[in-house]
Amino acid sequence: MSDTKRRSYHHGDLHRALIDTALAMLAADQNWTFTLREVARRTGVSHAAPYKHFQDKDALLRELARIGFVQLEQAMVAALSSGPLSARGKFVAGAQACIAFAQHNPGLYRLMFSADADKVADLRLHEAAMATFGVLLRLLQEGQQDGSFRPAALTALAAASWAQVHGLAMLAMNGQLLEEKVGPDPVQAALEVLLDGLCQSHRKGD
């Protein structure tokens, strides 16, 4: 281990270093079968060092998942703030940001929605996940307020929207949106169909 890295640990950066190492391993292998011993070895510290910051591997995984939700929220908010967009345009931008995040971070995205990230109640992880979901809720609520989206129960609209966007993200991430099956631009096409159901002009009886 270099003197520079050793000095940084003395200044209290080991917690961040362990996270960065685990994130890099997750990105490289796209799974979380690694052990805390392996994370410690690759970070250049003793096998016991990680336990000063994480009770066990599950605690580390929950922290990685929390970071993933924070990053996803930031990506979605940035997409929604990219310019003057209609409610429909914002929905597409936010959905595309979510799908792009999954494609660029497949291991982390899978972990975020896995049972391994939800084994024990974790308030910080829960808050991060709900903050990300809150981006969608606010977008739908604003669309209802300006008459763009139908006045159905907000939770129902959110569940339908999240299910489809998450499903598209998983399919895109796994390379399963093949043109011969779903056409040349399946994400945009699927989002347009979803939006037709969300929009005010497509209420039953219209």
Side-chain angles (χ1 to χ4, degrees), residues 47-93:
H47 294 158
Y51 293 97
K52 298 176 182 178
H53 300 272
F54 301 100
Q55 180 180 359
D56 51 27
K57 178 183 171 180
D58 286 346
L60 173 59
L61 292 180
R62 291 195 298 273
E63 177 60 11
L64 298 183
R66 185 195 68 80
I67 291 170
F69 279 113
V70 171
Q71 292 177 347
L72 177 56
E73 179 193 6
Q74 292 172 343
M76 293 173 68
V77 169
L80 299 181
S81 306
S82 60
L85 298 170
S86 64
R88 191 179 181 107
K90 285 184 177 181
F91 186 95
V92 171

Side-chain angles (χ1 to χ4, degrees), residues 86-92 136-152 154 157 161 194-201 203:
S86 64
R88 191 179 181 107
K90 285 184 177 181
F91 186 95
V92 171
L136 172 61
L137 289 175
R138 289 192 299 275
L139 173 57
L140 292 171
Q141 190 171 43
E142 290 171 6
Q144 286 184 324
Q145 290 171 348
D146 69 15
S148 298
F149 296 149
R150 58 193 301 179
L154 185 63
L157 297 185
S161 301
L194 174 60
L195 280 165
D196 284 346
L198 291 175
C199 287
Q200 179 85 334
S201 60
R203 288 178 296 171

Side-chain angles (χ1 to χ4, degrees), residues 35-52:
T35 64
L36 275 182
R37 288 172 65 91
E38 179 65 10
V39 173
R41 186 185 69 78
R42 295 201 188 188
T43 306
V45 296
S46 71
H47 294 158
Y51 293 97
K52 298 176 182 178

